[in-house]
Amino acid sequence: MPIYEYSCSKCNKVFELMRPRSESSLSATCPVCNAESPRIVSDFTHGVAFSKDAPESRKDSANEKMWISQQKVEENKVKNPDPLKKWREEREKSCGKGPEAWVEYAKQEEAKVQKVKDYGTGFTGREV
């Protein structure tokens, strides 16, 4: 038998009850103040309590999350149409204009690292 969670609006007590699924939608009596308390329904309890509908529920939830994600991507494109602009500017300052210069700079850096490996720890970092 599943356990359901209830919240009393009168005394703010949250409590659990073990009930048959046929009674899952019914409210329960609060053990503190005896007021009628509605059941708390979350994504987790919905998936567990209504397992026969769970695949559709998960699919709807996934579709909604995907839609929200796509909306955020679209908003970010409007706010920042070129997210790599700052990165490109930093590369241009450090190694020159354009991708060809970046590749050459990366090759030079790799050659420096290889020299350190070849000559061991005696390398001072100065050009030879």
Side-chain angles (χ1 to χ4, degrees):
M1 210 178 313
I3 297 173
Y4 298 100
E5 194 172 30
Y6 297 85
S7 176
C8 180
S9 57
K10 187 174 178 183
C11 69
N12 295 324
K13 170 83 173 156
V14 175
F15 60 97
E16 296 176 343
L17 278 179
M18 189 180 307
R19 312 178 105 170
R21 285 190 178 166
S22 60
E23 296 176 12
S24 66
S25 60
L26 302 176
S27 60
T29 303
C30 176
V32 176
C33 67
N34 294 326
E36 286 295 308
S37 305
R39 192 179 110 198
I40 297 172
V41 179
S42 66
D43 288 339
F44 175 76
T45 57
H46 188 278
V48 173
F50 301 102
S51 60
K52 65 179 181 184
D53 297 333
E56 290 80 17
S57 173
R58 284 192 298 268
K59 184 178 177 185
D60 291 344
S61 178
N63 288 340
E64 182 179 356
K65 287 178 184 177
M66 181 63 78
W67 183 83
I68 290 170
S69 175
Q70 289 171 346
Q71 294 304 311
K72 287 181 181 179
V73 167
E74 292 301 319
E75 288 172 9
N76 286 339
K77 284 182 183 177
V78 171
K79 291 177 187 173
N80 189 4
D82 188 5
L84 297 176
K85 182 178 180 180
K86 184 177 178 182
W87 178 83
R88 279 195 209 92
E89 290 171 353
E90 290 173 0
R91 291 294 150 261
E92 288 173 3
K93 286 179 186 175
S94 65
C95 58
K97 300 280 183 187
E100 295 83 16
W102 303 344
V103 171
E104 187 60 36
Y105 177 79
K107 287 179 182 177
Q108 291 171 359
E109 290 297 310
E110 182 63 31
K112 289 179 187 177
V113 170
Q114 190 61 43
K115 283 183 185 180
V116 170
K117 289 179 183 176
D118 291 344
Y119 296 111
T121 58
F123 185 70
T124 61
R126 294 183 293 193
E127 289 292 323
V128 179

